[in-house]
Amino acid sequence: MSADIIDGKAFALALRERIAIAVQGFRASAGRAPGLAVVLVGDDPASAVYVRNKGKATTAAGMESVEHRLPAEASEAELLALIDRLNRDATVDGILVQLPLPPQIDADRVIVAIDPDKDVDGFHPVNAGRLAIGLHGFVPCTPQGCLMLLQDRLGELSGLDAVVVGRSNIVGKPVAQLLIAASATVTVAHSRTRDLASIVHRADIVVAAVGRPEMIRGEWIKPGATVIDVGINRTDTGLVGDVDFNGAASVAAAITPVPGGVGPMTIACLLRNTLISAGRRAGIAIDPAAL
């Protein structure tokens, strides 16, 4: 068996095109564009690239992108004051603070300071709670992208056995909540799980988000399973995921590559959340199912 490659790049491009069309309708109704404010503290090169890419994608979708840069030595109070201004700015529909932050700033305190209804990253405890109990909120972008790729590939997920390897607040836990909401039977495993290989081997769906290069071996994968690899690990041989791609691809029915799988979905889902936020704030109906 040779797995089908799940082309996240192509899916994300199509999603961004649908969003751009919906943004045109929003602008016509609201008389303004959805606005996304991105905050970067310091000059970390990787973070600067991410912020630049987000800005380009936001503008390409017809939205307003506003970038705020603070120096690496900025205090927590300065950042919190900026967030307070953005919370009160009626032209800002989404606020994203690029992580990681310098050591003098408590990231948890910063995330809590963002208005939950502008928290398009979906990290605020209020949005985490909304997700857990099935209320409308903002879902973290990478997990939302994983779910969309799975539903596009498999359709109905009800009754399928899913294993999520990883328990972070950013990916592992919200992916598990989304799969539960889709009526999959979900096991959350991690690096300390006993007999991880046998747990992974029973899964129809494997979502790998543990942050260890090629930790999930090909022989662990159940024949015919669908594998979503969230990992992005830099090694001497280049970028690899959390899954042994070649080994897994020989038995799985479908698998995401690294790069080009889940990664492109993250920015696309950020734009999706920003548009949904703008619609809610302006009282304009935006159907998430149509995006």
Side-chain angles (χ1 to χ4, degrees):
M1 177 184 297
S2 180
D4 292 338
I5 304 302
I6 299 174
D7 190 343
K9 187 174 181 180
F11 190 101
L13 179 61
L15 173 57
R16 287 166 61 171
E17 289 173 348
R18 294 195 300 273
I19 290 168
I21 292 169
V23 165
Q24 292 176 8
F26 176 87
R27 292 178 71 131
S29 298
R32 67 174 183 89
L36 174 64
V38 180
V39 180
L40 176 63
V41 184
D43 51 8
D44 176 75
S47 292
V49 170
Y50 291 142
V51 167
R52 184 164 61 249
N53 289 341
K54 288 169 183 173
K56 288 179 179 178
T58 304
T59 302
M63 301 184 188
E64 292 291 333
S65 174
V66 182
E67 185 179 316
H68 296 268
R69 288 182 178 248
L70 296 177
E73 62 273 13
S75 68
E76 184 177 288
E78 288 177 277
L79 178 53
L80 292 176
L82 172 58
I83 290 171
D84 182 60
R85 292 197 300 273
L86 296 174
N87 283 341
R88 292 183 282 108
D89 188 336
T91 67
V92 173
D93 300 295
I95 301 170
L96 183 151
V97 178
Q98 184 65 44
L99 302 177
L101 292 169
Q104 75 273 16
I105 299 176
D106 184 336
D108 289 338
R109 195 171 296 171
V110 169
I111 290 169
V112 169
I114 298 171
D115 180 346
D117 292 329
K118 293 188 177 185
D119 167 41
V120 288
D121 250 343
F123 294 162
H124 195 287
V126 167
N127 282 318
R130 288 170 175 168
L131 176 60
I133 62 175
L135 296 180
H136 291 297
F138 290 114
V139 176
C141 302
T142 301
Q144 181 67 60
C146 293
L147 182 72
M148 294 177 81
L149 291 177
L150 282 168
Q151 290 177 326
D152 181 65
R153 170 71 195 185
L154 299 172
E156 180 65 56
L157 305 183
S158 178
L160 295 180
D161 195 340
V163 169
V164 179
V165 186
R167 51 183 168 172
S168 72
N169 293 332
I170 294 174
V171 180
K173 291 176 184 176
V175 162
Q177 294 288 353
L178 288 170
L179 289 168
I180 289 169
S183 297
T185 300
V186 182
T187 299
V188 177
H190 45 79
S191 59
R192 298 188 183 182
T193 297
R194 294 180 181 178
D195 200 8
L196 180 59
S198 67
I199 290 173
V200 170
H201 192 68
R202 75 182 188 220
D204 303 305
I205 296 168
V206 177
V207 180
V210 73
R212 295 191 181 185
E214 299 181 328
M215 177 179 168
I216 310 301
R217 308 307 304 164
E219 60 268 22
W220 297 5
I221 303 300
K222 175 183 176 180
T226 300
V227 179
I228 304 293
D229 190 349
V230 184
I232 302 178
N233 306 286
R234 297 188 182 277
T235 69
D236 292 340
T237 58
L239 288 178
V240 299
D242 290 350
V243 178
D244 166 22
F245 180 84
N246 290 333
S250 68
V251 292
I255 187 171
T256 56
V258 176
V262 174
M265 294 296 295
T266 300
I267 290 180
C269 289
L270 172 67
L271 301 179
R272 182 178 184 269
N273 279 351
T274 302
L275 175 59
I276 291 169
S277 175
R280 290 175 182 167
R281 289 167 38 74
I284 296 172
I286 303 289
D287 181 9
L291 298 176

